[in-house]
Amino acid sequence: MPLAQARALIDAHGFATLTDDRLRVSHLPLVLERDEGELGTLYGHFARANPHGHELDGRRVLAVFHGPHGYVSPRWYAAGPAVPTWHYAAVHARGSVECLDEAATLASMDALVARYEPELLDDATLMSEAYRRRLLAGVVGFRIRLDELRGTAKLGQHRSREDRAGVLAGLGASDDPLARRLGRYARGYLAQVVGMDDEPPG
């Protein structure tokens, strides 16, 4: 997966599974700052009650971002034999953790709010300056300076045009909204990254 697509997946699916070399795991949203470092820097915060956040300063971690994924039926292919499979897109981001001071933690929290609901930052009834600063007592802010960023997309790129069109049609007709979301992602990815025309042949 090209770097631009890996970054776009993080932007669209920012809730990460974060693990360290001792296999401790936390689940939390992260924000990617693309211009900090060659590959970018991830920002986030732990609840202070989470012991994981107190043990990571200076340690290497892996953040996994899961994009759209779903079941693919062999009935959707133009011809058999074929087996069921699973299509997905995901990004693995690795780097070292640095704990943040209060000012940087507050800025990273604001960046997270700005990513998902920016108007809250201007709503003093819900997010006053005094309230935001009180929140700092309950969190541990951190950043991950990335030294590895790898994305994987398993979307049937190797199959025939007819098979790809059948899969996209099957996903698009599914009752499962996650399957339809995968179909939209796959269509865009195949067109933009792989250069494939995924409309059914005429």
Side-chain angles (χ1 to χ4, degrees), residues 76 168-180:
W76 296 342
L168 292 176
L171 292 170
S174 174
D175 293 332
D176 183 353
L178 296 179
R180 296 196 299 272

Side-chain angles (χ1 to χ4, degrees), residues 144-199:
I144 306 168
R145 296 189 184 276
L146 298 179
D147 54 46
E148 184 177 339
L149 189 61
R150 293 187 180 180
T152 300
K154 178 181 178 293
L155 300 169
Q157 298 96 310
H158 64 290
R159 302 201 68 94
S160 69
R161 183 183 179 193
E162 292 80 5
D163 284 351
R164 294 194 311 270
V167 169
L168 292 176
L171 292 170
S174 174
D175 293 332
D176 183 353
L178 296 179
R180 296 196 299 272
R181 187 176 189 181
L182 171 62
R184 291 191 297 272
Y185 180 87
R187 186 181 297 278
Y189 185 93
L190 292 171
Q192 296 173 16
V193 177
V194 188
M196 293 179 172
D197 175 5
D198 293 298
E199 295 299 324

Side-chain angles (χ1 to χ4, degrees), residues 9-19 24-32 42-46 50 52 61-67 90-94 112 116 142 144 146 149:
L9 188 146
I10 292 174
D11 288 342
H13 304 276
F15 192 68
T17 301
L18 185 70
T19 185
R24 297 194 177 191
V25 177
S26 292
H27 306 277
L28 68 175
L30 299 174
V31 173
L32 176 65
L42 294 169
Y43 282 85
H45 60 272
F46 290 93
N50 183 347
H52 201 187
V61 293
L62 165 67
V64 180
F65 298 88
H66 298 277
V91 171
H92 291 184
R94 289 182 170 87
L112 183 62
Y116 292 101
F142 67 93
I144 306 168
L146 298 179
L149 189 61

Side-chain angles (χ1 to χ4, degrees), residues 54-187:
H54 299 277
E55 302 167 353
L56 288 180
D57 195 21
R59 302 189 77 94
R60 284 187 56 74
V61 293
L62 165 67
V64 180
F65 298 88
H66 298 277
H69 61 91
Y71 175 80
V72 171
S73 171
R75 298 179 185 275
W76 296 342
Y77 297 137
V83 297
T85 190
W86 204 270
H87 283 185
Y88 67 90
V91 171
H92 291 184
R94 289 182 170 87
S96 297
V97 173
E98 298 176 11
C99 288
L100 302 176
D101 61 21
E102 285 194 355
T105 297
L106 186 60
S108 73
M109 293 169 65
D110 285 350
L112 183 62
V113 174
R115 175 69 182 82
Y116 292 101
E117 196 172 1
E119 59 271 19
L120 276 182
L121 295 174
D122 298 321
D123 189 340
T125 62
L126 290 175
M127 295 280 290
S128 69
E129 181 70 17
Y131 178 71
R132 288 165 55 242
R133 292 198 171 276
R134 285 200 302 273
L135 291 177
L136 286 172
V139 302
V140 176
F142 67 93
R143 66 184 162 210
I144 306 168
R145 296 189 184 276
L146 298 179
D147 54 46
E148 184 177 339
L149 189 61
R150 293 187 180 180
T152 300
K154 178 181 178 293
L155 300 169
Q157 298 96 310
H158 64 290
R159 302 201 68 94
S160 69
R161 183 183 179 193
E162 292 80 5
D163 284 351
R164 294 194 311 270
V167 169
L168 292 176
L171 292 170
S174 174
D175 293 332
D176 183 353
L178 296 179
R180 296 196 299 272
R181 187 176 189 181
L182 171 62
R184 291 191 297 272
Y185 180 87
R187 186 181 297 278

Side-chain angles (χ1 to χ4, degrees), residues 29-42:
L30 299 174
V31 173
L32 176 65
E33 295 294 343
R34 302 184 182 200
D35 297 331
E36 294 187 24
E38 183 177 351
L39 296 177
T41 299
L42 294 169

